[in-house]
Amino acid sequence: MTSGTSGRRQSSQVRAQALAANSPARGPVRLARQRRPAWIAAGVAILALGVLANVYLFEAASERTSVVRVARDVAVGQPLTRADLDTAVVALGPGVRAIPGAQLGEVVGRRAAVGLRAGTLLTASQVTVQLTPGPGQALVAVALKPSQLPPRGLEPGSQVRIVATSGGQDDTPSPSAQSGPAAGKDVAGVVDAVGGPDADGAVTVSLLVADGDASAVARLAAAGRVALVVTSQVGS
């Protein structure tokens, strides 16, 4: 083999190595091409999730409905006024039976069967058309001077004890009052309503008491011999 032939072969090998060194690598290009379908699939999945989320939000918004809401606190037994109620548009959860907003006018005038709190949705079980007094009860009006009122005042729904006080009149109990406050026994009652003070500052309080105690309480009230002790204040 001549030196010229050997030189040509070496030159060819050098050129081949140079071309191989300058040519771009094909490995990363193939890897990028392999990753492209994965990115496309991920994008499609994200798009599908976005569509499902929009459908869910649309359906949830379409199920929102107007219902009656309590605008301010209402004590048990009190009649509901228009100022006590308003409406709210909400999405009701399963099992919630709120009163539709269109029936707000029908609720006005009914009484609160339980104590109502502002901001809560009103349900049919929380109102009643039954007027006080209920079965076995009687309603007694008692006029109280400011000195006879509890320090914190009275609110409808408060539970009280009716106590007989001493007076200048004959304290001998009548036969019908042997079991009432005139016989030294306190009587449990519930404040049904509180009237405004008159010119002398006296406040008329309507009390729900057991029917058997109503007559004795009324006689003591007429004689000005009634004092009230609050045993449970509304909201406490």
Side-chain angles (χ1 to χ4, degrees):
M1 181 180 295
T2 65
S3 60
T5 303
S6 175
R8 286 193 297 271
R9 289 181 178 176
Q10 291 178 355
S11 298
S12 298
Q13 291 177 355
V14 171
R15 286 195 299 270
Q17 291 176 355
L19 289 174
N22 294 329
S23 62
R26 298 185 178 276
V29 175
R30 293 177 181 176
L31 183 59
R33 289 178 180 176
Q34 292 175 355
R35 289 178 177 177
R36 188 174 299 171
W39 284 108
I40 294 175
V44 172
I46 294 173
L47 180 62
L49 289 175
V51 173
L52 291 176
N54 288 333
V55 171
Y56 173 79
L57 292 176
F58 176 79
E59 290 180 351
S62 63
E63 293 176 358
R64 294 169 67 88
T65 182
S66 175
V67 295
V68 178
R69 181 176 59 182
V70 181
R72 59 186 183 184
D73 292 352
V74 180
V76 58
Q78 283 295 98
L80 295 172
T81 66
R82 180 61 183 83
D84 296 328
L85 307 170
D86 61 12
T87 59
V89 178
V90 298
L92 297 179
V96 179
R97 297 292 183 267
I99 298 177
Q103 298 180 11
L104 186 148
E106 302 176 16
V107 178
V108 173
R110 298 185 182 183
R111 290 180 178 264
V114 297
L116 304 177
R117 296 301 181 191
T120 59
L121 302 184
L122 190 66
T123 63
S125 62
Q126 294 176 321
V127 296
T128 179
V129 295
Q130 183 180 6
L131 299 178
T132 54
Q137 292 180 320
L139 194 62
V140 180
V142 178
L144 299 175
K145 298 177 182 179
S147 59
Q148 296 174 298
L149 292 171
R152 294 178 57 186
L154 293 171
E155 296 181 13
S158 297
Q159 298 179 9
V160 297
R161 282 202 317 268
I162 304 167
V163 181
T165 61
S166 60
Q169 299 182 5
D170 184 9
D171 290 344
T172 303
S174 62
S176 61
Q178 292 296 324
S179 61
K185 173 189 173 184
D186 296 345
V187 172
V190 178
V191 177
D192 182 71
V194 180
D198 59 16
D200 298 327
V203 174
T204 300
V205 181
S206 298
L207 298 173
L208 283 170
V209 299
D211 187 60
D213 295 326
S215 297
V217 172
R219 281 192 292 270
L220 290 172
R225 297 180 48 217
V226 170
L228 299 183
V229 177
V230 178
T231 58
S232 178
Q233 191 82 6
V234 173
S236 60

